[in-house]
Amino acid sequence: MTTSTDSDHLLDLLKASGARITKPRRVIVRILAEKGGQHPDAMDIFRRAVREDSRISLPTVYRTLKVLEEQGAIQRHAFSDGRSRYEPAAGEHHDHLIDMDTGDVIEFHSEKIEQLQEEIARELGYEIVHHRLELYGRKRKAGKRR
Amino acid sequence: MTTSTDSDHLLDLLKASGARITKPRRVIVRILAEKGGQHPDAMDIFRRAVREDSRISLPTVYRTLKVLEEQGAIQRHAFSDGRSRYEPAAGEHHDHLIDMDTGDVIEFHSEKIEQLQEEIARELGYEIVHHRLELYGRKRKAGKRR
DNA sequence: GAGCAGATGATAATGATTTTCAATACTGCA
DNA sequence: TGCAGTATTGAAAATCATTATCATCTGCTC
Ligand SMILES: [Mn+2]
Ligand SMILES: [Mn+2]
Ligand SMILES: [Zn+2]
Ligand SMILES: [Zn+2]
């Protein structure tokens, strides 16, 4: 169980930024550090948070997420489903493949693609600040000819 | 001036789907087929439309855009600025580089990247239905070392 | 433990997009 | 060309996710 550690890391980032460590923030940060069910949206987090402390409000969830994002502690993604989804910014950069049937989010990374992107931007006279690469697909059915 | 032709093409697609060719639709389609100022959002289109026919309403703009999208006549993009942006689905597939300072949208295409995406999805057991690749950057300043 | 700035919850506000619904205008047909 | 019947429209209200307001509360420093 690395839960405690990851959670503490987020709290440290918060503290370092001069923010106060409040009860709601403890709960929200703990949820973000949880292993299963990644890329939750604000409502997902809110629902889980309420289970731990029924007084927590949705605005506080949003406010905490915003602070964490500004601190670079978490990342916000806007997949094509309206809401924003969040994930701790721990690991290295990666992009996402979204299962259109289940909604599952699969992470991947291609150094080749990353480099090609840089190359393209350079040729166009630009410097990439950030990018977004999302693949939307469905599981390949068995019988693949060829 | 290919304007007339492009516009007519969109109208044909509409007609083919059994939709009625109304005055507002003519105006909106004409605007979408215009050459300059591409990737307009609904409000952009609405403002231009009102100039041609002050009776046109925003909901009608949205409704027409939706019909056109369902017909595959136009594509909707959700760049990271809240609103959706539209463009005729005429040409070949391409991705976008957004100038973070000016908001300019530059189109590009990399067959290599497209193939790498397919490869990655296949390895993960998926078939790509569609994808989204957006580069956000700023113009590279002169003095580039190296 | 007191004091105060920052944080919270309840509630209203936003902004983009969609829905409702009565009035209107395309279209195919007489 | 005239009409009926239905798709489409405009005005206004509703949605949805997210943010702002503001009075109250609470970490945190001394
Ligand atoms: Mn991820
Ligand atoms: Mn484009
Ligand atoms: Zn990437
Ligand atoms: Zn592409």
Side-chain angles (χ1 to χ4, degrees):
Chain A
M1 56 208 56
T2 57
T3 300
S4 166
T5 308
D6 294 345
S7 186
D8 288 349
H9 174 60
L10 290 180
L11 286 180
D12 286 344
L13 288 176
L14 267 186
K15 202 173 301 180
S17 78
R20 292 180 182 174
I21 305 306
T22 67
K23 194 167 195 173
R25 284 179 177 171
R26 269 181 221 286
V27 173
I28 294 168
V29 150
R30 193 177 304 137
I31 291 172
L32 284 168
E34 274 173 18
K35 280 304 171 188
Q38 283 319 80
H39 305 94
D41 61 32
M43 186 51 85
D44 289 334
I45 296 169
F46 173 61
R47 277 189 288 256
R48 296 191 214 171
V50 165
R51 267 186 258 148
E52 300 198 36
D53 180 343
S54 67
R55 276 161 298 183
I56 291 178
S57 69
L58 227 205
T60 289
V61 169
Y62 275 109
R63 280 185 292 236
T64 299
L65 288 172
K66 176 172 289 184
V67 174
L68 286 168
E69 192 195 355
E70 287 168 346
Q71 246 47 56
I74 64 175
Q75 264 186 281
R76 167 165 49 176
H77 301 295
F79 298 151
S80 57
D81 60 8
R83 330 105 288 143
S84 288
R85 302 179 161 281
Y86 305 80
E87 74 174 317
E92 336 64 44
H93 167 75
H94 60 256
D95 295 297
H96 302 91
L97 163 57
I98 292 87
D99 185 314
M100 297 176 77
D101 296 315
T102 68
D104 287 355
V105 177
I106 297 159
E107 309 185 329
F108 68 84
H109 178 77
S110 164
E111 198 47 52
K112 270 189 193 168
I113 289 185
E114 301 292 325
Q115 291 180 354
L116 284 168
Q117 288 175 170
E118 289 294 344
E119 209 172 287
I120 289 168
R122 193 181 317 125
E123 277 167 16
L124 292 171
Y126 280 83
E127 246 176 83
I128 296 178
V129 174
H130 71 274
H131 69 270
R132 171 200 253 174
L133 170 57
E134 290 153 25
L135 307 183
Y136 292 83
R138 346 191 92 98
K139 277 220 170 83
R140 184 125 79 328
K141 291 306 172 196
K144 51 178 150 179
R145 48 219 48 162
R146 140 126 298 284
Chain B
M1 51 205 61
T2 57
T3 300
S4 167
T5 308
D6 295 344
S7 187
D8 289 348
H9 173 59
L10 290 180
L11 285 181
D12 286 343
L13 288 176
L14 268 186
K15 202 172 302 180
S17 78
R20 291 178 182 176
I21 305 306
T22 66
K23 195 170 198 173
R25 285 178 176 171
R26 268 182 222 286
V27 173
I28 293 168
V29 150
R30 193 178 302 135
I31 291 171
L32 283 168
E34 275 174 16
K35 280 304 171 189
Q38 284 319 80
H39 305 97
D41 60 35
M43 188 50 86
D44 289 334
I45 296 169
F46 173 62
R47 276 190 288 257
R48 295 191 216 172
V50 165
R51 266 186 257 147
E52 300 198 35
D53 180 342
S54 66
R55 275 161 299 183
I56 291 178
S57 69
L58 226 205
T60 289
V61 170
Y62 276 108
R63 280 185 291 236
T64 300
L65 289 172
K66 175 171 290 185
V67 175
L68 286 168
E69 192 194 356
E70 287 166 347
Q71 245 46 57
I74 64 174
Q75 263 186 279
R76 167 165 48 177
H77 301 295
F79 299 151
S80 57
D81 60 7
R83 297 137 273 168
S84 289
R85 303 179 159 281
Y86 306 79
E87 74 174 316
E92 337 65 42
H93 167 75
H94 61 256
D95 296 296
H96 303 91
L97 163 56
I98 293 88
D99 185 315
M100 297 175 75
D101 297 316
T102 67
D104 288 355
V105 176
I106 297 159
E107 308 184 330
F108 68 85
H109 177 76
S110 164
E111 200 45 54
K112 270 189 194 170
I113 289 185
E114 300 292 326
Q115 291 179 353
L116 284 169
Q117 289 175 171
E118 288 294 343
E119 209 172 288
I120 289 168
R122 193 181 317 126
E123 279 167 15
L124 292 171
Y126 279 83
E127 246 177 80
I128 297 179
V129 174
H130 70 274
H131 68 269
R132 169 201 253 175
L133 170 56
E134 290 155 23
L135 307 184
Y136 292 85
R138 343 192 94 99
K139 277 222 170 81
R140 184 125 82 323
K141 292 304 173 199
K144 52 178 147 178
R145 48 218 48 159
R146 142 123 296 280

